[in-house]
Amino acid sequence: MNPNANSDAVVLARTAPFRLGMVQVDPANCLIRDSAGQEQVIEPRMMQVLVALARAKGVIVTRDELIASCWAGRIVSNDAVSRVISHLRLLAGGIAAGSFQMETLPRIGYRLTVQEGEGAEAPSTDIVPDAVPASLPMAEVSRRGVIAIATGGVVLLAVGARIGWPSAGSTDRLLIINPLAIEGRDHALEVIGRTTSDALRSDLAHVPGLRLSGPAGKDEKDRTGGADYRVDGSVARIGQDGLRLSLTLTDAGSDQQLWSGSIDAAMAGISDLQRDLSAALIEQLVLRLPVASTPPTSVAMRGDPEAYRLSEAARLLCDDVRDLFLAGQQDAAQDSADRAVALAEQSLALAPENPGGLIVMADLTRNGWSHAITARKLTTQQRVDQALPLLRRALRTDPANAGAMVRIADLYRRFSWRWDDAATLFRHAIVNDPANADAHWAYSHLLATLGDVVAGLDHGLTLKQLTDTHLWHRITLPRLLFMAGYEGAAMKLYYQELGNRPNSYFLLYEIYYLLVAQGNRTGLQAYVDRLEKGGQTDAATAWTIGRCRAALAAMAGRPEALLVILDAELARYDAGGLALATIGGRARDDLTFILAIEYACAGQYDRAIDLLGRALQAMSVYWLPSLPYGSAPFPPAMQRDPRFQALWKRDVRLADAVARRGRAAQAKQMSTALPDSSMSKALLPAPLLARLHAAFPGLPIS
């Protein structure tokens, strides 16, 4: 072999099908097919690693070589590689049973060997760099190939769809909990160590897909068949009355540490200490466990029935709060939020670990909805930092709770840019509760952020089947259709919603900046004509008409009126005049992204770049069509500015998202602005088109 061959990029579209033991591997379509004709779709990254290991023909492939060939050399955690290897082991024990084995050589690398007595073909590849050219024309991709990429990346596309994992019984992971180490001969710490181990065992026993074992003796591996994970820890004193509790989670096969956590507290707070660290450990385990094909039984109803009733009443009030914010009724929204806080606090007074009450308090805290939370003037990150422990506690009480999973995943998506971890939790949530509307809504946003609008539309349609109550659910489909390049269909749905809510500030504003970001003078003028013809005299409509006219003048080279509006609004924002965390239904930090779009419309590119930088610093990627490779990009003169280009490279997580969007654009999973100013459209699979036509008869989609 060429000594550098293991580092060559794996490009699935350029890799011909090959046989591996008793299965046929189809890289371009992310398919594994056994001798009986059964097929399983796997994720593209998993397929890349399988190809890289198979083409090595039994030679060890190092972790760095895998990252170079399958992750394009990006910075990747040990956990990301280990997780893919673990999934390949599942494959080797599932549809590919008897075909190949996966071997991990600690601190050296990985090796794939074909089972004895079976033949294999090395994958034949025509290697090209796995990158998107700076300017598109787009590469042509077969319709079947696009469908395979979409399904491979999502695993679950709709309620009732086949999950790309073996049955739940074959995916259980074995976890060994070792005794906690104690510093010195300290009887009190020994007691705390034993009670902490007992508490961990009790909590982890509820985690679906996990089997527990005691400490591993020298014959433990032979007796259990080998553990997947190991938990170790320690208890130590800090000063007179302080205590430090630490845990580590280790991959037992490779001996690689996957996670560590440590919490300090007063000796009197040992119960809270054990609870919070156990909750953090459960979150880490759920991220690593395969998505089960059989939903586990939820334990959310256990406990005090009155606490459950109160938390449900609080949750329903939260729905009202969101609707009131969307309607621009800030005072009424905060009054309802205050009532929701009171109900949630009553619920938690009766049952402090009630998942429903904890989730409601996390929602209220994260969004800054109530008067009390607003008065504290917390930053976005401070609110997130306070909400996350509440959600972890809810997941500790009920490790199958889809509501907790969805909200943790959405925090990952929105405030940490942990794309893959968010996707894992969303998939868990949808399997555990296929009718969870928030899971489909938030997952569709994550998919669209990364460019997989086709898969996002599938979840958007499922969302429509589940609920048609809230505006923030209903506008998911027009947003996704717009990002797929079906502008006529998107605007028809937007205007239908506007007919139902003619004075919705949130909706009026969204249609406005959608058209401004696109630079669509004709559409913006038609929007003004529609609003004026409707005869609405409310303040929201008048405000929108005035802003539209100022933007139209700016597009015609007269930006003065728009700049007066924008400068005044930015001054209020900077002075704290827009103090609420949620303004008009949007997070406060998202407003700087929208202002960047408007300043760009006015030709003020310096100001636009500055505001866009502020939005990205606050981790807002609010208007997805204006991200790189989108269908409503910032003006070319602004894109050419080195400062603009640097914005998308200064954070590796954001750069990763941009790279994924580029690949999605190339695969026609989203609409993209082409160099000649034309637009490409996403290729929608026939079943998805049929679902759209069934849901919206007469909608202009073809």
Side-chain angles (χ1 to χ4, degrees), residues 94 103 228 310 368 373 439 503 515-516 552 623 692:
E103 183 181 6
D228 296 283
L310 289 167
I373 295 173
N503 60 352
L515 295 166
V516 170
L552 283 167
W623 192 238
L692 280 166

Side-chain angles (χ1 to χ4, degrees), residues 550-566:
L552 283 167
M555 291 177 182
R558 303 186 305 277
E560 295 79 11
L562 182 58
L563 288 173
V564 168
I565 294 172
L566 300 181

